[in-house]
Amino acid sequence: MRSTGSTASPTTVSTPRSATATADGPVSGFGQPRFLSVATALLTLALVAAQLVLSPAASATTPTGEETAPAYVSPDDLGDGAKAPKPTGTSWLVGDLDSGELHVAKNVEKRHAPASTIKLLTALALVDVLDDKQKKVTAEFEDMEIDGTKVGLMQKNKYTIDLLFHAMLMSSANDAANALGRAAGGQKKAVSLMNQKAAELGMSNTHAANTSGLDAKGQYTSAEDLMKLAWAVCEDDYLMKVIGTETFKFPGGKNPQTKEKFKGYEIQNHTKIVGQVDGGLGLKNGFTRAAKGSYVAVAERDGHRVVATMLGIDNNSRQVAVDLLEWDFAQKEPKSLQTVPVGVQATAEAKPTAPSSGGDAGGDEDETAASAKDSADDDGDGQASSSLASRSLGAAMDNPLALGLLGAGVVLLILTAVLWVRLRGRLQGRR
């Protein structure tokens, strides 16, 4: 509005009354525009402040514990009759791997991003296709540039299938998972094989989109399905030998660009179940920022196998898995909450035909079903959008400050409009 005042000044400079203040009040060509500018600024500030107060993001109340989840602490008592450990997260279970009986269970059918636990499905789906474990695969640049944990594959260097399985399952190497997928016929083919294997095992709440477990649209699994997967992996001698390896020698190689040679190094088992838990057989851990912590842990004592699976765990997922195993082994007569069909039972309940792959993520129908279920779980995006206005109005009614700012904004808006009309009339009259 200052630009309006400066435009009016040259027009009124020759008029003594316009150029000189009187005892009756300020100069009409200067005071009103200045007041108008101030009013406009105040109006803007009031409206912005009201918007901030009324904003759903500002007014919404964050549920207790959602912003910062409490750290998991191991219970003092994990003995017979003690309460089961309680993780903080999306879903988990612990139970008998062979009978499928669950002794602790929460949201076991809920779909959630799997993180690197999906590598168990990658391994199971590709282990028979890549039957020559000494066959060598030439690493490519796409292996090196993949996100997340890597073992350090170097392009144009050759690695055996066996070494790639060790790197993927022990060190959770995404570059190794990518190379195995390419060796099986490409990522699209590998993902299709993974979804076929999931269907064979009756993993109805699982859908793979890549071989590594990196977050991807349409990729999900459930705690229940991970139990079915754990049973199948434990039946494969080769995979269990790899998973049961604590350390492994990774070979050196040569940088194809600099011609510089580099030495080999030792890789460790990241799951930290084998050799660290009594009777620990291992299996797989995982983590991404979106998926949070995931875990599949199996231990065997006196011929009795116990499995713990979990998804979306906020913190200390390994300790949670170990505590669940220890607690379950300690229970003399654990109560069976439900039974998950594993092994032959799961295969009998599986669909007779596997879903076809419609792209790299595989199975468009499955992805649509997942979206529908996820929408149901989250109360639907449509309902959230339709309630936006009502939430804002409710926030205003509950917040006197918001009402005051909004009222002040309306008054300033009316006042500004009146002054603007009067000023325009005077300027036009002088012309």
Side-chain angles (χ1 to χ4, degrees), residues 14 93 109 142 178 199 212 217 275 277 291 295 349 383 401:
S14 60
L93 63 80
E109 296 182 357
E142 69 174 61
N178 196 70
S212 64
K217 182 180 179 180
V277 175
Y295 231 96
E349 292 189 5
Q383 293 180 14
L401 175 60

Side-chain angles (χ1 to χ4, degrees), residues 150-152 163 166-167 170-171 245-252 262-270:
K150 289 174 276 195
V151 72
L163 188 146
H166 277 83
M170 289 178 59
S171 295
T245 305
E246 294 186 63
T247 59
F248 193 81
K249 182 70 173 179
F250 193 81
F262 54 91
K263 296 181 180 180
Y265 42 90
E266 186 178 79
I267 61 176
Q268 290 80 35
N269 195 317
H270 290 187

Side-chain angles (χ1 to χ4, degrees), residues 81-114:
K83 290 184 178 180
K86 189 175 181 180
T88 56
T90 302
S91 60
W92 61 83
L93 63 80
V94 66
D96 190 305
L97 181 60
D98 297 300
S99 69
E101 292 185 357
L102 302 185
H103 307 139
V104 169
K106 178 183 178 181
N107 298 331
V108 297
E109 296 182 357
K110 186 176 180 63
R111 293 173 174 180
H112 191 83

Side-chain angles (χ1 to χ4, degrees), residues 31-52:
Q32 287 183 356
R34 171 174 287 181
F35 179 78
L36 197 59
S37 298
V38 173
T40 303
L42 290 174
L43 170 64
T44 303
L45 288 173
L47 292 177
V48 169
Q51 174 61 26
L52 289 174

Side-chain angles (χ1 to χ4, degrees), residues 32-266:
Q32 287 183 356
R34 171 174 287 181
F35 179 78
L36 197 59
S37 298
V38 173
T40 303
L42 290 174
L43 170 64
T44 303
L45 288 173
L47 292 177
V48 169
Q51 174 61 26
L52 289 174
V53 174
L54 291 173
S55 170
S59 61
T61 302
T62 303
T64 304
E66 183 175 311
E67 187 173 0
T68 304
Y72 170 81
V73 178
S74 296
D76 294 331
D77 185 7
L78 293 172
D80 183 32
K83 290 184 178 180
K86 189 175 181 180
T88 56
T90 302
S91 60
W92 61 83
L93 63 80
V94 66
D96 190 305
L97 181 60
D98 297 300
S99 69
E101 292 185 357
L102 302 185
H103 307 139
V104 169
K106 178 183 178 181
N107 298 331
V108 297
E109 296 182 357
K110 186 176 180 63
R111 293 173 174 180
H112 191 83
S116 285
T117 57
I118 204 70
K119 289 185 172 85
L120 293 174
L121 183 59
T122 303
L124 196 63
L126 304 186
V127 66
D128 292 331
V129 176
L130 303 172
D131 54 351
D132 183 0
K133 302 302 186 290
Q134 297 309 311
K135 180 180 178 180
K136 292 190 175 182
V137 177
T138 301
E140 296 184 3
F141 183 71
E142 69 174 61
D143 303 323
M144 299 173 60
E145 67 175 354
I146 196 169
D147 291 334
T149 305
K150 289 174 276 195
V151 72
L153 299 186
M154 176 64 71
Q155 60 179 326
K156 297 186 179 180
N157 283 252
K158 295 183 177 181
Y159 304 92
T160 65
I161 295 293
D162 179 66
L163 188 146
L164 294 174
F165 269 113
H166 277 83
M168 179 179 73
L169 293 174
M170 289 178 59
S171 295
S172 201
N174 293 338
D175 49 357
N178 196 70
L180 285 170
R182 191 175 62 256
Q187 297 303 311
K188 181 176 179 179
K189 175 66 178 299
V191 167
S192 177
L193 291 171
M194 292 167 68
N195 287 319
Q196 288 178 33
K197 180 60 69 174
E200 291 173 12
L201 296 174
M203 298 169 62
S204 58
N205 286 310
T206 295
H207 188 269
N210 57 50
T211 56
S212 64
L214 288 170
D215 296 321
K217 182 180 179 180
Q219 180 155 267
Y220 54 83
T221 190
S222 67
E224 179 184 69
D225 281 1
L226 287 178
M227 182 178 188
K228 298 176 182 179
L229 180 59
W231 182 92
V233 169
C234 285
E235 294 300 301
D236 190 288
D237 293 337
Y238 171 75
L239 292 181
M240 289 308 294
K241 180 180 178 181
V242 173
I243 289 171
T245 305
E246 294 186 63
T247 59
F248 193 81
K249 182 70 173 179
F250 193 81
K254 184 171 68 173
N255 188 315
Q257 296 179 334
T258 64
K259 307 302 180 183
E260 180 183 357
K261 292 184 178 180
F262 54 91
K263 296 181 180 180
Y265 42 90
E266 186 178 79

